[in-house]
């Protein structure tokens, strides 16, 4: 039976959802489930190809692999080549090196592993990865490599019946595995084949267990199936562990549409969905770089031309690349004649060279190279900043032996420590650096209640007991501690959801300040450092494309700063502290006329979207009065 119309319609339903979700997740919160629909379709098609070949005795493993490469590689390789060319013109060296790594991962079909190791799919950094979406192609290719071998083994063990029983059993086991690991190892489950296998196998079940044709029932299955897919798109969002048991909704919906095989359904066989379905692979390939481009340059209403561009590029790729008739290969000895494999190898080498040459920084003039270089973190970050418990008395001391200062905080204290130590060196004084990643003031909590409770208490005591230290600087990312990250909701400030927890954190901060004030000459407390709208690299790229070399570039506004930090600002302003507690306000250095800059005088003041760079930290340390460095 010819399933072409249903499959093209399903592909259109899948790709439309993915594109809408990526342009604006609020439009279709579960649109990412379109990838799951693609997986079921792929499993169905691959099962039909392999099982028919096994049944007729004509299945050729090499022919199957090369046919898949002919289908997938050319359009993917073209995308990667275009991205390398465009990246040469517009990406910063670090970004271009990352692109090269991702290109190599994409054409080698290992990108799912690469992205799993780097970050989460829904985080802000995802919009800096031009080929993030190729993880799904890697999953499919890995399935294509293994699945025929499994089916051949099942056929030898039990014939056609063995294939049917084996695929059913594997689907059940793989579904249970996915449901469990999606909660235990969410990032790995999202990206890796193991937790996705059941979705592809479910497509195989649609081929292996067809229902007898019954027109009325087929129409019902078609309608119910599409309804389930739409329900998943509308009601599910990225907070749901995926692909856990809830993924059964779109998977079961796709399964029902496939077994219904209703070619006359207006929902799948219509003049809009049919061409979109044919172009869906190429649309999928091109849509994410188009989305990232609009995000990178912060283009208003980008979705309007962006979606049209996705369809246009998808059509062109389908018409002129996907329709190329590549030579069919039937034996391993002939595989060297498979041109798509050579194309993939070429692209992989080009991507690898971008990594090897560190993104070719010589592409930029001296001014731009200086701006890029300024967006750096402390050279002592890896050495002196703790991510897990280490005895605080082993904290770094630099640059002079006469240690008179200490700095205490989370990762936002690291660059300040370096910049402060630089300034202290001019006065022949040194600094002791205490920082722990993501550590909120937790002095009032029991040891073990957080990753850093013990460390924080011991660090405070170590500072108090060290008679050399007379002055302390405190800095935390307070609003992250009480309201979470700012990036997902920007420009809307996230609210403090747990007022009781926030009150405990602020009370602990007060205790720390008071204890230090009682033991030391002066305690400086840094107000919140402004968090900026986008990562520094994105703003530098935008600056490079659109701004004059020495023009300042806005990172955020004072209005946003006040909204974001309202809780901590109100607390600090309403609380009375000892007279030797001095507050330092970063906005006095970073913000003017209601605008807080991210780039100023050709220098980046940040190295991501919230941490000050070394250059930014130097600017903040200038707020400390000269008398603060007078030896007691």
């Amino acid at each position: 039976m010819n399933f072409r119309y249903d499959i093209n319609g399903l592909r259109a339903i899948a790709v439309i959802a993915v594109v809408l979700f990526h342009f604006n997740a609020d439009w279709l919160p579960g649109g990412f489930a379109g990838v799951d629909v693609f997986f079921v379709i792929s499993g169905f098609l691959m099962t039909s190809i392999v099982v028919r070949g096994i049944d007729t005795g004509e299945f050729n493993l090499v022919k199957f692999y090369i046919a898949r490469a002919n289908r997938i590689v050319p359009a993917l390789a073209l995308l990667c080549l275009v991205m390398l060319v465009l990246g040469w013109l517009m990406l910063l060296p670090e970004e271009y090196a990352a692109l090269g790594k991702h290109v190599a991962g994409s054409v080698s079909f290992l990108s799912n592993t690469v992205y799993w190791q780097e970050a989460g799919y829904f985080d802000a950094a995802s919009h800096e990865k031009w080929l993030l979406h190729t993880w799904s192609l890697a999953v499919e290719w890995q399935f294509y490599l293994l699945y025929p071998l499994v089916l051949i083994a099942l056929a030898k063990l039990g014939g056609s019946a063995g294939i049917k029983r084996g695929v059913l059993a594997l689907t059940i086991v793989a579904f249970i595995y996915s449901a469990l690991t999606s909660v235990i190892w969410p990032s790995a489950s999202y990206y890796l084949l193991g937790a996705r296998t059941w979705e592809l196998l479910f497509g195989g079940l649609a081929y292996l267990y067809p229902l007898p044709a019954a027109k009325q029932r087929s129409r019902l299955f078609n309608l119910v199936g599409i309804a389930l897919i739409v329900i998943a798109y509308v009601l599910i969002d990225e907070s749901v562990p995926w692909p856990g048991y809830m993924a059964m909704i779109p998977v079961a919906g796709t399964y029902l549409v496939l077994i219904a095989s209703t070619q006359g359904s207006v929902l799948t066989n219509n003049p809009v969905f049919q061409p979109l379905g044919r172009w869906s692979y190429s649309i999928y390939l091109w849509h994410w770089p188009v989305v990232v481009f609009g995000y990178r340059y912060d283009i208003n209403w980008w979705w309007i031309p962006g979606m049209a561009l996705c369809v246009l590029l998808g059509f062109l790729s389908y018409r002129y690349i996907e329709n190329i008739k590549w030579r069919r290969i039937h034996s391993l000895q002939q595989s060297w004649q498979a041109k798509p494999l050579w194309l993939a190898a070429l692209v992989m080498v080009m991507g690898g060279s971008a990594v090897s040459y560190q993104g070719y920084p010589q592409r930029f003039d001296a001014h731009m190279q200086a701006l890029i270089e300024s967006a750096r973190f402390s050279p002592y970050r890896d050495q002196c900043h703790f991510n897990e418990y280490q005895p605080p008395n082993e904290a770094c001391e630099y640059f002079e032996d006469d240690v008179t200062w200490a700095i205490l905080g989370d990762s936002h204290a690291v660059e300040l420590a370096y910049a402060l130590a630089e300034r202290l060196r001019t006065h022949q004084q040194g600094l002791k650096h205490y920082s722990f990643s993501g550590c909120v003031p937790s002095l009032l909590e029991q040891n073990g209640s957080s990753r850093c409770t013990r460390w924080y208490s011991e660090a405070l005591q170590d500072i108090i007991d060290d008679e050399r230290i007379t002055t302390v600087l405190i800095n935390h990312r307070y609003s992250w501690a009480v309201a979470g990250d700012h990036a997902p909701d920007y420009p809307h400030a996230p609210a403090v959801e747990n007022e009781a927890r926030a009150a405990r954190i602020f009370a602990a901060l007060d205790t720390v300040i008071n204890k230090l004030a009682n033991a030391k000459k002066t305690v400086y407390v840094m107000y919140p450092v402004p968090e900026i709208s986008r990562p520094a690299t994105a703003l530098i790229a935008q600056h490079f494309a659109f701004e004059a070399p020495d023009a300042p570039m806005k990172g955020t506004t004072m209005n946003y700063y006040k909204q974001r930090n309202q809780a901590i600002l109100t607390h600090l302003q309403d609380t009375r502290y000892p007279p030797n507690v001095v507050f330092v306000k970063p906005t006095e250095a970073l913000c003017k006329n209601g605008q807080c800059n991210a780039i100023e005088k050709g220098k980046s003041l940040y190295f991501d979207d919230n941490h000050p760079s070394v250059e930014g930290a130097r600017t903040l340390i200038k707020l400390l009065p000269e008398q603060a460095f007078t030896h007691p």
Side-chain angles (χ1 to χ4, degrees):
M1 183 174 290
N2 187 346
F3 291 91
R4 182 177 69 255
Y5 294 122
D6 292 308
I7 289 176
N8 278 340
L10 271 176
R11 284 172 171 160
I13 291 172
V15 79
I16 289 170
V18 172
V19 170
L20 287 174
F21 172 76
H22 282 149
F23 271 98
N24 190 330
D26 293 336
W27 293 341
L28 209 61
F32 59 87
V35 173
D36 305 85
V37 175
F38 276 127
F39 284 154
V40 179
I41 295 170
S42 292
F44 173 84
L45 293 174
M46 293 310 104
T47 304
S48 67
I49 293 170
V50 177
V51 171
R52 280 201 303 263
I54 292 173
D55 288 344
T56 60
E58 297 177 351
F59 181 72
N60 182 309
L61 193 60
V62 174
K63 179 183 176 182
F64 174 83
Y65 288 152
I66 298 298
R68 302 282 67 73
N70 289 346
R71 168 79 177 92
I72 296 173
V73 169
L76 173 61
L78 174 66
L79 169 68
C80 291
L81 281 171
V82 170
M83 290 311 306
L84 286 171
V85 172
L86 294 178
W88 180 275
L89 299 174
M90 66 183 188
L91 295 187
L92 307 181
E94 184 178 343
E95 295 175 310
Y96 197 61
L99 175 65
K101 174 186 175 183
H102 296 159
V103 162
S106 295
V107 294
S108 64
F109 297 103
L110 295 172
S111 59
N112 59 332
T113 302
V114 172
Y115 292 124
W116 162 56
Q117 293 174 337
E118 288 184 351
Y121 189 65
F122 300 107
D123 64 14
S126 67
H127 281 92
E128 301 166 35
K129 299 175 182 178
W130 296 84
L131 298 173
L132 176 63
H133 61 314
T134 63
W135 72 268
S136 65
L137 304 182
V139 168
E140 289 196 23
W141 182 261
Q142 292 158 14
F143 180 78
Y144 296 163
L145 289 178
L146 298 174
Y147 191 47
L149 302 177
V150 172
L151 292 179
I152 291 170
L154 290 173
K156 288 183 177 180
L157 291 173
S160 297
I163 290 176
K164 294 176 71 173
R165 289 194 297 268
V167 171
L168 178 59
L170 288 172
T171 304
I172 294 171
V173 172
F175 173 72
I176 295 172
Y177 171 82
S178 177
L180 293 174
T181 58
S182 294
V183 176
I184 302 171
W185 306 304
S187 185
S189 295
Y190 194 94
Y191 283 109
L192 302 185
L193 174 63
R196 296 288 183 171
T197 300
W198 73 275
E199 299 178 324
L200 291 135
L201 291 174
F202 223 96
L205 295 180
Y207 177 81
L208 295 170
Y209 294 91
L211 293 180
K215 194 170 184 179
Q216 188 173 4
R217 183 169 54 187
S218 292
R219 288 178 177 173
L220 178 61
F221 282 1
N222 183 271
L223 290 172
V224 172
I226 292 174
L228 287 174
I229 294 171
V230 172
I231 287 170
Y233 291 166
V234 174
L235 298 184
I236 292 171
D237 60 33
E238 61 263 35
S239 67
V240 176
W242 204 263
Y245 66 92
M246 290 293 286
M248 180 60 77
I249 298 174
V251 168
T254 309
Y255 169 83
L256 289 173
V257 175
L258 288 171
I259 64 172
S261 63
T262 307
Q263 297 181 16
S265 172
V266 70
L267 297 176
T268 51
N269 181 15
N270 61 68
V272 175
F273 280 18
Q274 285 304 305
L276 288 178
R278 289 193 296 272
W279 310 338
S280 60
Y281 172 55
S282 285
I283 291 174
Y284 181 80
L285 283 179
W286 286 98
H287 89 280
W288 181 248
V290 171
V291 169
V292 173
F293 183 86
Y295 172 83
R296 178 183 182 82
Y297 296 110
D298 199 21
I299 303 173
N300 292 327
W301 302 97
W302 175 241
W303 64 271
I304 298 175
M307 287 188 181
L309 186 59
C310 292
V311 175
L312 175 61
L313 292 172
F315 164 72
L316 293 174
S317 175
Y318 171 79
R319 174 67 178 81
Y320 295 105
I321 304 299
E322 287 192 60
N323 279 330
I324 295 175
K325 303 300 180 184
W326 302 97
R327 178 174 178 177
R328 294 185 178 184
I329 304 297
H330 295 80
S331 67
L332 193 60
Q333 291 80 5
Q334 295 177 315
S335 59
W336 67 272
Q337 300 176 29
K339 293 179 181 178
L341 297 183
W342 286 103
L343 183 59
L346 171 65
V347 173
M348 194 180 305
V349 170
M350 293 175 65
S353 70
V355 178
S356 298
Y357 288 93
Q358 299 179 324
Y360 298 102
Q362 62 272 26
R363 291 176 292 132
F364 299 96
D365 60 25
H367 174 86
M368 188 61 188
Q369 289 190 46
L371 176 54
I372 294 167
E373 175 61 21
S374 68
R376 64 185 179 95
F377 50 79
S378 166
Y380 288 84
R381 175 171 275 269
D382 291 339
Q383 177 183 345
C384 297
H385 177 55
F386 295 169
N387 289 295
E388 56 186 23
Y389 177 81
Q390 294 184 42
N393 58 10
E394 298 178 4
C396 287
E397 297 182 6
Y398 47 98
F399 294 109
E400 301 288 337
D401 294 333
D402 183 15
V403 173
T404 58
W405 280 68
I407 189 166
L408 174 65
D410 55 19
S411 61
H412 279 236
V414 181
E415 283 63 45
L416 289 173
Y418 182 79
L420 177 56
E422 284 184 324
R423 187 167 177 186
L424 283 166
R425 181 160 52 181
T426 65
H427 296 269
Q428 291 79 49
Q429 298 177 52
L431 170 140
K432 194 164 185 179
H433 169 183
Y434 301 83
S435 69
F436 195 112
S437 185
C439 189
V440 303
S442 53
L443 195 64
L444 303 181
E445 305 292 335
Q446 293 183 350
N447 283 347
S449 60
S450 74
R451 292 171 54 244
C452 68
T453 311
R454 176 188 173 192
W455 176 90
Y456 204 99
S457 176
E458 292 180 4
L460 175 64
Q461 194 60 48
D462 197 63
I463 295 172
I464 292 172
D465 292 342
D466 193 331
E467 295 181 356
R468 301 173 301 166
I469 297 171
T470 62
T471 311
V472 182
L473 174 62
I474 299 172
N475 186 46
H476 288 275
R477 192 182 177 192
Y478 310 99
S479 293
W480 171 84
V482 300
D485 192 19
H486 77 295
D489 298 311
Y490 190 91
H492 304 291
V496 176
E497 295 184 358
N498 190 332
E499 296 285 353
R501 179 177 178 273
R504 289 198 304 273
I505 291 173
F506 294 159
L509 175 64
D510 292 343
T511 303
V512 171
I513 293 172
N514 287 321
K515 281 181 174 287
L516 289 173
N518 188 54
K520 303 300 176 183
K521 175 186 172 184
T522 309
V523 177
Y524 290 94
V525 179
M526 185 79 71
Y527 267 45
V529 175
E531 298 158 320
I532 58 177
S533 59
R534 301 164 68 215
T537 51
L539 293 176
I540 291 172
Q542 188 173 340
H543 187 276
F544 174 65
F546 302 114
E547 303 293 337
D550 292 322
M553 190 157 193
K554 184 179 77 174
T556 188
T557 65
M558 275 299 296
N559 284 337
Y560 178 78
Y561 176 82
K562 292 175 181 177
Q563 293 173 16
R564 164 65 167 164
N565 298 293
Q566 181 180 4
I568 182 63
L569 293 177
T570 300
H571 176 79
L572 293 177
Q573 291 162 4
D574 292 348
T575 305
R576 296 189 64 179
Y577 295 98
N580 61 336
V581 175
V582 180
F583 292 98
V584 182
K585 298 183 178 180
T587 53
E588 293 179 357
L590 303 180
C591 307
K592 300 180 185 72
N593 302 319
Q595 174 176 305
C596 302
N597 290 331
I599 296 172
E600 200 167 73
K601 297 179 181 178
K603 302 290 185 181
S604 176
L605 303 176
Y606 294 80
F607 71 79
D608 58 11
D609 64 1
N610 61 91
H611 292 89
S613 64
V614 169
E615 198 64 39
R618 288 170 179 154
T619 301
L620 295 176
I621 292 301
K622 289 178 182 177
L623 292 170
L624 297 174
E626 187 63 28
Q627 59 265 30
F629 303 97
T630 302
H631 212 292

